[in-house]
């Protein structure tokens, strides 16, 4: 299996872990994997694009969220009361209310227990169909107002995904999953209005059974994820109207993911010879914890995300993990490629309701090495002290300015000397670790819901709201002995779209400081990387916007006022 196939296998196991709900928050463990290397992105968009969001991504997330209901139901009862019958009946009401089908071979009392055999659950959502079966579930009255729920140690899950819409001749892909959860115990307590579930599982294993679909016969793949010492607690309570509230926590000592695969009959890439390829991947994550809180709606209500948010749907959560190791080897006709990564910790946060959408991810203490036949030296090393990415944005009309924020940070980034030697063989540039920070916040007033596809489509090129303010909390770029820092605050006049070419006119100030910039340009010129005439042009431009305030130190005050633009008091527009 070529390297391009490895993410698919990982995605399959990760997707199933998200679905599985011995504790709904097992998804926390998988989400922690996504924080290994948060993307560092920039923002450069005209006014009409400021508020845009990828609605296709939102729709995809909604599809996957809806399809999780099948497996969530398999491992956790719902709305428990003090008797086994009440637990079972409330469980049925919940899953059927979410659009699932349920069949059983028998439901019968056996002493203090209610025994359910031959349980099969089905789901049919847009783009995904699935079925799962549990041989036996036992709801036991413990005589103290609580009910213990146990089930078969193993059960299979089958998920079928429709081909992409742009593949007219595409085939559906069917994935079978085997779940093993020995000695899983769930204790339900409380009453019908508020039900608490405490669960423990020594291990939880999710293994890839088979893949059927396009070219599946040519791929021999095994994949498995194992969680150890899983514990957690859930509180379900009735909310307003048709809603229910969920408060939960989750912990696991470790998550281990392994993938091994072979592509027996690969199609050769351009310029390469055909031949089998193999991949071996192992990932270990320690000390995983997570929380989730939210207000839940029925599957029918979730079909329209904009309406669901207005009806009260909300969710927020956190995931934290300790030390992480990642090792991958890919062998193909060109040779062996190896990637090794370690990280000290990682975190993830998310929130969504009628007023906001937020996401944050970060890692600390990351070290990565990579070697491959195409790399002109034995090994590439990359290290960084911290990487983080987060955003907060309003998603619906508020009638008043609402907060937004954007952060991207990578601190103390260093690369191996072999790479420096290609760029700077004479060692003129300092090898100090690099840092980039862009930390902003502000307010905006939306007039259209970003989750309403029809309403967004009618806007055309018009923005769905107004930008009110923007604060630059921190701007920092440090590399090769030079450092640029800045802060600022702006407000915007949305009645003036003329002064700045269609953008609302800003009022405010941005303060910038550059240290070591001239020295860096001198060294780049000496290295032949920057022509002398271009360096002269840069210096002339700097002289227009900046004042010398020290040895190789420049400062600049950029002001926006009265429809004009000023640099250090000199009007440029």
């Amino acid at each position: 299996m070529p390297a391009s196939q490895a993410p698919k296998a990982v995605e399959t196991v990760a997707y199933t872990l998200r679905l599985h709900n011995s504790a709904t928050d097992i998804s926390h463990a998988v989400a922690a994997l996504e924080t290994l290397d948060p993307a560092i992105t920039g923002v450069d968009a005209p006014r009409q694009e400021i508020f845009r969001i990828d609605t296709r991504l939102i729709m995809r997330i909604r599809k996957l969220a809806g399809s999780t209901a099948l497996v969530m139901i398999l491992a956790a009862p719902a709305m428990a009361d003090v008797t086994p019958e009440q637990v079972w009946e409330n469980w049925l009401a919940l899953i059927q209310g979410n659009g699932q089908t349920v069949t059983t071979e028998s439901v019968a009392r056996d002493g203090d227990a209610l025994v359910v055999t031959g349980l099969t659950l089905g789901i049919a959502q847009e783009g995904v169909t699935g079925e799962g079966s549990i041989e036996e579930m036992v709801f036991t009255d413990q005589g103290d107002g609580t009910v213990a729920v146990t089930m078969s140690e193993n059960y299979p899950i089958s998920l079928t995904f429709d081909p992409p819409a742009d593949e007219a001749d595409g085939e559906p892909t069917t994935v079978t999953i085997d779940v093993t959860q020995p000695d899983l115990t769930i204790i339900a307590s409380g009453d019908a209005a508020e039900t608490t579930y405490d669960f423990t599982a020594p291990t939880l294993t999710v293994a890839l059974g088979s893949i059927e679909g396009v070219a599946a016969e040519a791929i021999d793949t095994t994949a498995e994820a194992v969680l150890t010492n899983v514990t957690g607690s859930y509180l379900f309570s009735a909310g307003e109207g048709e809603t229910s509230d969920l408060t939960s926590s989750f912990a696991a000592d470790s998550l281990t993911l392994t993938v091994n695969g072979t592509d027996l009959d690969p199609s050769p890439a351009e310029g390469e010879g055909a031949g089998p390829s193999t991949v071996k991947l192992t990932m270990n994550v320690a000390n995983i914890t997570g929380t989730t809180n939210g207000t839940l709606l029925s599957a029918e209500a979730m079909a329209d995300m904009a309406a669901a948010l207005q009806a009260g749907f909300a969710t927020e959560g956190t995931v934290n993990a300790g030390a992480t190791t990642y090792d991958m080897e890919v062998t193909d006709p060109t040779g062996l490629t190896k990637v090794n990564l370690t990280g000290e910790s990682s975190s993830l946060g998310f929130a969504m309701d009628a007023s906001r959408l937020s996401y944050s991810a970060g890692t600390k203490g990351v070290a990565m090495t990579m070697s491959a036949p195409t790399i002109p030296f034995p090994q590439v090393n990359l290290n960084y002290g911290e990487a983080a990415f987060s955003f907060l944005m309003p998603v619906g009309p508020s009638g008043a300015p609402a907060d937004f924020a954007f952060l991207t940070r990578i601190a103390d980034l260093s690369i191996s000397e072999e790479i420096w030697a290609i760029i700077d063989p004479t060692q003129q540039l300092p090898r100090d670790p690099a840092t980039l920070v862009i930390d902003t916040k502000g307010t905006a007033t939306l007039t259209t819901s970003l989750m309403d596809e029809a309403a967004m489509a009618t806007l055309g090129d018009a923005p769905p709201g107004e930008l009110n303010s923007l604060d630059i909390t921190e701007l920092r770029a440090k590399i090769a002995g030079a450092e640029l820092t800045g802060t600022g605050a702006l407000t915007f006049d949305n009645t003036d779209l003329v002064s700045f070419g269609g953008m609302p006119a800003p009022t405010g100030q941005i303060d910038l400081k550059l240290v070591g910039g001239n020295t860096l340009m001198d060294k780049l010129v000496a290295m032949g990387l920057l022509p002398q005439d271009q360096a002269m042009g840069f210096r002339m431009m700097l002289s227009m916007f900046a004042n010398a305030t020290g040895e190789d130190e420049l400062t600049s005050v950029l002001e926006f006022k009265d429809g004009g633009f000023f640099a250090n008091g000199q009007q440029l527009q």
Side-chain angles (χ1 to χ4, degrees), residues 8 50 94 99 106 117-118 123 193 202 234 296 327 337 360 379 415 436 481 522 533 536 553:
K8 182 63 177 178
I50 290 175
L94 177 69
S106 68
T117 61
I123 182 173
Y234 289 78
L296 310 179
D327 299 286
T337 297
S360 63
Q379 182 172 282
I415 56 177
L436 173 66
D522 289 340
D533 57 340
M536 185 177 297
E553 179 180 291

Side-chain angles (χ1 to χ4, degrees), residues 282-466:
T282 302
M283 176 181 289
N284 293 283
V285 184
N287 301 324
I288 304 164
T289 61
T291 62
T292 298
N293 303 300
T295 299
L296 310 179
L297 304 178
S298 67
E300 291 81 358
M302 291 301 297
D304 184 339
M305 179 58 73
L309 290 171
Q310 293 303 314
F313 170 73
T315 182
E316 64 178 336
T318 62
V319 178
N320 294 284
T324 298
T325 62
Y326 175 95
D327 299 286
M328 184 177 73
E329 294 184 0
V330 178
T331 304
D332 60 23
T334 65
L336 174 64
T337 297
K338 297 179 66 176
V339 178
N340 305 101
L341 180 145
T342 62
E344 294 177 0
S345 63
S346 55
S347 62
L348 175 74
F350 58 90
M352 184 178 185
D353 56 33
S355 64
R356 59 171 177 153
L357 173 67
S358 69
Y359 175 84
S360 63
T363 56
K364 293 183 178 180
V366 172
M368 186 186 76
T369 63
M370 183 176 70
S371 61
T374 55
I375 297 177
F377 28 81
Q379 182 172 282
V380 173
N381 299 321
L382 183 147
N383 302 271
Y384 58 82
E386 180 184 8
F389 171 80
S390 68
F391 70 82
L392 165 69
M393 61 184 295
V395 295
S398 59
D403 293 337
F404 70 84
F406 174 83
L407 166 69
T408 182
R409 176 191 294 119
I410 183 164
D412 299 328
L413 172 68
S414 62
I415 56 177
S416 54
E417 180 59 33
E418 289 86 352
I419 298 177
W420 272 115
I422 295 176
I423 303 171
D424 179 24
T426 58
Q427 298 188 356
Q428 297 195 48
L429 299 177
R431 271 40 170 176
D432 299 339
T435 293
L436 173 66
V437 180
I438 302 173
D439 188 359
T440 64
K441 64 180 181 178
T443 58
T445 304
L446 293 186
T447 57
T448 303
S449 172
L450 300 183
M451 300 298 171
D452 190 334
E453 290 186 274
M456 290 291 292
T458 62
L459 291 175
D461 293 333
E466 296 180 342

Side-chain angles (χ1 to χ4, degrees), residues 122-325:
I123 182 173
Q125 303 258 342
E126 183 181 357
V128 181
T129 59
E131 183 177 277
S133 60
I134 300 178
E135 183 178 343
E136 182 179 81
M137 294 184 69
V138 180
F139 302 79
T140 303
D141 187 340
Q142 300 202 109
D144 58 0
T146 66
V147 174
V149 184
T150 58
M151 64 188 71
S152 303
E153 289 189 359
N154 306 89
Y155 61 83
I157 300 171
S158 175
L159 297 169
T160 299
F161 301 89
D162 292 343
D166 56 354
E167 295 183 10
D169 299 328
E171 299 178 21
T173 300
T174 298
V175 179
T176 60
I177 304 296
D178 297 314
V179 180
T180 305
Q181 47 186 18
D183 299 322
L184 168 69
T185 300
I186 304 169
I187 305 298
S189 61
D191 54 34
E194 290 193 355
T195 305
T196 298
Y197 300 92
D198 296 299
F199 60 88
T200 60
T203 62
L204 168 66
T205 302
V206 179
L208 175 65
S210 64
I211 302 176
E212 298 177 3
V214 178
E217 67 280 357
I219 300 174
D220 180 15
T221 303
T222 62
E224 182 179 85
V226 180
L227 287 159
T228 63
N229 293 331
V230 181
T231 62
S233 179
Y234 289 78
L235 171 62
F236 284 97
S237 59
E240 297 182 1
E242 298 298 321
T243 67
S244 59
D245 297 327
L246 167 67
T247 302
S248 67
S249 62
F250 165 82
D253 284 358
S254 66
L255 167 66
T256 300
L257 174 67
T258 57
V259 177
N260 292 280
T262 301
D263 192 342
L264 303 176
D265 185 21
S267 299
E270 184 177 352
E272 298 179 358
S277 60
T278 62
V279 61
K280 296 179 180 180
L281 182 151
T282 302
M283 176 181 289
N284 293 283
V285 184
N287 301 324
I288 304 164
T289 61
T291 62
T292 298
N293 303 300
T295 299
L296 310 179
L297 304 178
S298 67
E300 291 81 358
M302 291 301 297
D304 184 339
M305 179 58 73
L309 290 171
Q310 293 303 314
F313 170 73
T315 182
E316 64 178 336
T318 62
V319 178
N320 294 284
T324 298
T325 62

Side-chain angles (χ1 to χ4, degrees), residues 437-440 471-477 483-489 509-515 554-558:
V437 180
I438 302 173
D439 188 359
T440 64
D471 293 345
I472 303 174
T473 305
E474 181 181 11
L475 171 65
R476 186 183 183 197
E483 183 175 31
L484 173 67
T485 57
T487 59
Q509 178 175 307
I510 299 174
D511 299 304
L512 299 174
K513 180 179 180 180
L514 176 64
V515 177
L554 300 172
T555 61
S556 181
V557 178
L558 307 179

